[in-house]
Amino acid sequence: MKIISKNIIMIALSALAVVLSAEPAYAKKKPSTPTVNSDELKADYIFMEALRQHSAENEDAYYDLLRRAHELNPAESEIEFYLGFYTALMAQNDTVMGEKGYNMMRHHFDKEPGDFYNNRIYGAINDQLGKNKESIRVWRTLDSIYPNKIEVALKLATALTASRDSANLKEAVDIYNKIENRQGKSIPLTFSKIRTFLPTNDTLAIFDEVQKLISSSPNNVDNNIFAGDVYAQFAMPDTALTYYNRACKLDPSSGAAYYSRATLYQSIGDSIAYDREVFNALKQESLDIDTKLELLTGYIRELYEDESQHPRIEELFNSLLQQHPHESKVRELYCSYLYVVDDFAGAAEQMGYALDIDPANQENWHTLITLYMQAEKPEQAEKAGETAMHYYPDSPQLDMLMSAVYNQNKKYGQSQAILDRALDIVDDGDKEFLSQIYSSKGDTYYASGVPDSAFVYYEKALELNPYNLLAMNNCAYHLAVEGKDLDRAEKLSAFTIKERPEDATSLDTYAWVMFRKKDYTQAQVYIQKALDNTEEPSQELYEHAGDIYFFTGDHAKAIEYWEQALELDPDNELLKRKVKHRTYFYE
């Protein structure tokens, strides 16, 4: 016997839709007439009460009453079915309990095969669990009892197809043909029949079905698109293109037709035609917004690295915005594109529009604040953050982000205050997040010129989370800058580069610790690794490199790095002196 696996919990997913569409059990259940003893009558009324409790979402009472009703009248298979279903649902990873519930439902089916409402749930459960033979038995039985219920016939055909048995596949085709004779040709039925031909690779039968669909309604746009899709799947692009072209001709405003044609051109590598069809598809009002965004996303991924294509991408976004000016998804995608091409100000503008449309999106507020910070617009970041706090006054995550904003604006008092508020509202059991807050407090104290307090809070952060890499790195770096406890700094920094061996910031910190310990050889090795692992080194990284190379004796390289640092920070007086005098200065 096949044991029901942990997937039994998925019974709920498959059966829920069935239950919702079915007539409520208590509407069709009638109190039985006592025949032998009063236990049967008691069971009947307890069962009715169980259903009432279930409708009131009192699940514990529902389950207890079902068990009591079944104890009083174990011969009533409908009670057994409900108890079996709920038992299986509660079983989760308990395979013995799940099997018990499943067998109770099966027993009801065997005893009452004509119970359409409950047995179609049992059939759906077998479909979900992959019990193909039992699925076929259930649906074939129901089909014989209810020959006019097309949904049952379709379920039977689907189960037969899933078996991949040649005789069953033929029976499935016969069922679909009978339904077609009653309802006429349709894409869903044709698609279902095509699935029965796939296991045997009967392409002739597949194409024959496509042609029959086209013949039934040759001027139907959807039929032509479907035909094109089928031929495209079988690597017959010329034939597929014929049907896509016909669909576009029949309805020049069909966004779906242009979309399919664009996808075909993309698959065969015709970039010019693909480019043209993307524009055609996105300009059609008939194409739904989600499909448009999917198409545009793929287009951007293909072409955003080519700067010559950026004007065309911008044109597409402008076209979409004209069609859907109040669709936040378009603004969010535009924001993502602008971020990728390093237009942080433009990305922030689009995210601002998206939030005007839908302000109840906390993640988007976080994105907007971060974008303003990256665009070096601290005042706008602060304003956006304070607006966000009106919507989310009790968000410690938002408080953390605003702390960084206040630090950037040198408002250290406000930064500390908002971190203290975050400490008041965060869950005391969330040690990882508490560690992040304490680490931020350390950053704020150091930035405000109180290093001793900063180190206290870094240590608190590491007590709560010994693997807080940001706290480790910042503590190590600031210890090195201050020239304090360099052994502790080395230990912390060594751990961070072990965990993040290609992170330029961590490598720079370790190099600087080694520099302060006068191990210039090691410092040079790690500062070079830091330079190799960043595309755009900062002024600080270049200056550190210059200082380190100077003490290794490579003065020419040192001056080169100092000059690069000075280009990024032309007002830095210490760098000016180093470059001018071609030597190292401590301050």
Side-chain angles (χ1 to χ4, degrees), residues 165-182:
D165 176 81
S166 57
N168 286 344
L169 292 172
K170 184 179 183 304
E171 183 181 351
V173 172
D174 291 339
I175 292 172
Y176 290 131
N177 285 335
K178 289 179 182 177
I179 296 173
E180 273 189 344
N181 290 335
R182 293 170 59 181

Side-chain angles (χ1 to χ4, degrees), residues 391-447:
Y391 289 100
Y392 302 98
D394 298 314
S395 170
Q397 293 82 6
L398 185 57
D399 289 344
M400 279 278 290
L401 184 57
M402 283 304 295
S403 165
V405 173
Y406 288 133
N407 279 346
Q408 190 178 48
N409 292 344
K410 296 183 171 25
K411 296 182 178 180
Y412 303 119
Q414 287 175 263
S415 177
Q416 290 291 5
I418 204 166
L419 288 172
D420 289 337
R421 189 180 76 165
L423 286 171
D424 289 338
I425 60 179
V426 74
D427 183 353
D428 290 339
D430 191 347
K431 291 186 178 181
E432 184 174 341
F433 194 71
L434 282 167
S435 175
Q436 293 176 23
I437 297 174
Y438 281 126
S439 179
S440 293
K441 284 182 74 68
D443 295 340
T444 302
Y445 272 115
Y446 193 85

Side-chain angles (χ1 to χ4, degrees), residues 105-373:
M105 291 183 283
R106 178 171 182 160
H107 180 259
H108 173 71
F109 171 73
D110 291 335
K111 188 174 181 181
E112 298 288 345
D115 181 355
F116 176 75
Y117 295 97
N118 291 329
N119 288 335
R120 68 173 177 164
I121 295 174
Y122 177 60
I125 289 169
N126 282 288
D127 293 341
Q128 186 68 50
L129 294 175
K131 291 176 171 282
N132 183 251
K133 289 184 179 180
E134 185 67 359
S135 288
I136 293 174
R137 186 174 81 96
V138 172
W139 297 120
R140 182 174 279 140
T141 300
L142 288 175
D143 185 52
S144 66
I145 299 172
Y146 302 101
N148 293 323
K149 289 188 177 293
I150 290 177
E151 67 269 30
V152 173
L154 288 171
K155 286 285 189 181
L156 173 58
T158 300
L160 291 166
T161 301
S163 74
R164 303 177 72 89
D165 176 81
S166 57
N168 286 344
L169 292 172
K170 184 179 183 304
E171 183 181 351
V173 172
D174 291 339
I175 292 172
Y176 290 131
N177 285 335
K178 289 179 182 177
I179 296 173
E180 273 189 344
N181 290 335
R182 293 170 59 181
Q183 293 187 333
K185 290 282 185 182
S186 68
I187 290 175
L189 281 173
T190 299
F191 177 73
S192 295
K193 281 209 278 186
I194 286 174
R195 286 197 307 168
T196 66
F197 299 129
L198 288 174
T200 58
N201 295 316
D202 192 348
T203 54
L204 290 177
I206 290 171
F207 297 145
D208 183 57
E209 285 301 324
V210 172
Q211 291 305 314
K212 287 178 180 176
L213 176 67
I214 291 293
S215 297
S216 70
S217 184
N219 294 327
N220 183 293
V221 174
D222 291 335
N223 286 356
N224 280 277
I225 295 172
F226 177 78
D229 291 344
V230 172
Y231 283 108
Q233 286 294 316
F234 284 90
M236 300 175 67
D238 292 341
T239 307
L241 187 58
T242 298
Y243 287 104
Y244 292 147
N245 289 342
R246 183 186 296 173
C248 290
K249 185 176 181 180
L250 288 167
D251 182 4
S253 66
S254 173
Y258 290 116
Y259 173 76
S260 293
R261 196 160 66 176
T263 303
L264 177 68
Y265 283 130
Q266 184 184 29
S267 69
I268 62 177
D270 189 340
S271 58
I272 295 175
Y274 169 65
D275 189 65
R276 180 187 68 240
E277 292 307 313
V278 168
F279 273 78
N280 285 334
L282 293 179
K283 290 177 180 177
Q284 306 309 317
E285 296 281 353
S286 61
L287 194 63
D288 67 272
I289 185 62
D290 289 333
T291 303
K292 286 180 178 179
L293 292 175
E294 179 186 351
L295 183 60
L296 183 55
T297 301
Y299 185 81
I300 293 171
R301 285 179 184 148
E302 291 259 336
L303 301 175
Y304 82 89
E305 291 184 351
D306 182 355
E307 290 188 8
S308 66
Q309 295 293 332
H310 290 184
R312 293 184 67 78
I313 294 173
E314 295 279 353
E315 183 182 347
L316 286 173
F317 274 115
N318 290 331
S319 175
L320 269 186
L321 289 170
Q322 287 177 5
Q323 297 175 53
H324 308 281
H326 304 299
E327 180 56 68
S328 62
K329 292 180 182 178
V330 180
R331 301 287 183 179
E332 290 168 8
L333 181 59
Y334 197 7
C335 168
S336 298
Y337 162 71
L338 293 170
Y339 176 82
V340 168
V341 298
D342 295 332
D343 183 357
F344 302 126
E349 180 182 14
Q350 292 304 318
M351 184 53 70
Y353 290 138
L355 285 164
D356 287 341
I357 298 167
D358 178 20
N361 188 320
Q362 186 172 354
E363 185 177 344
N364 280 354
W365 281 110
H366 288 195
T367 300
L368 178 62
I369 296 164
T370 303
L371 285 169
Y372 277 134
M373 292 173 71

